Amino acid sequence: MTDRITGPIPIDINRIPAGVVLDMTALTRLIVGDVLDALLDPDDTGAWDRLHELAEGVPATDGRLPYEELEAELVDRASSRVPLYGARARELAERLYAAAGVRRIPTQREAGAA
């Protein structure tokens, strides 16, 4: 069963036997867009330069690994918050509670019981 919370960043709630899975594709698109904006920023080419240094195997100068340095910068520039306006926060909580409510989970068979 899939349920959707609408909003600026839709969240799909999919039930699984032991709980729920939140599909946040819209947030992923926002994050990827932020990362691309950071890499392609004509006024600040630092992220682009570090990406190419990483690809060429140029060592970092401050003791950090080039991958970690670029990752930290991109994480700082990427979106990480999901705005829920008005009653959407309560709606999400209620739907998560209903979807993840107590359900019987099959027990694991003992070895040799089959």
Side-chain angles (χ1 to χ4, degrees):
M1 173 192 142
T2 299
D3 200 359
R4 175 171 273 209
I5 302 295
T6 59
I9 299 176
I11 301 169
D12 289 330
I13 304 165
N14 298 298
R15 292 178 116 183
I16 59 174
V20 297
V21 173
L22 301 180
D23 181 348
M24 301 176 72
T25 301
L27 178 61
T28 301
R29 280 195 181 99
L30 185 63
I31 292 167
V32 169
D34 290 343
V35 168
L36 287 173
D37 289 345
L39 289 171
L40 300 175
D41 185 346
D43 298 324
D44 179 5
T45 62
W48 178 261
D49 295 340
R50 278 187 291 291
L51 177 65
H52 281 272
E53 289 171 3
L54 181 61
E56 294 169 5
V58 176
T61 56
D62 65 354
R64 293 180 75 183
L65 296 174
Y67 182 93
E68 292 171 341
E69 189 175 286
L70 180 59
E71 178 185 47
E73 179 180 344
L74 294 175
V75 166
D76 286 343
R77 294 187 62 170
S79 299
S80 63
R81 291 172 176 78
V82 177
L84 295 172
Y85 301 110
R88 294 293 184 223
R90 172 173 279 160
E91 182 183 354
L92 175 61
E94 289 169 353
R95 289 185 186 185
L96 285 172
Y97 183 77
V102 178
R103 290 190 298 257
R104 185 175 181 282
I105 299 173
T107 58
Q108 190 173 23
R109 293 182 183 166
E110 289 187 36

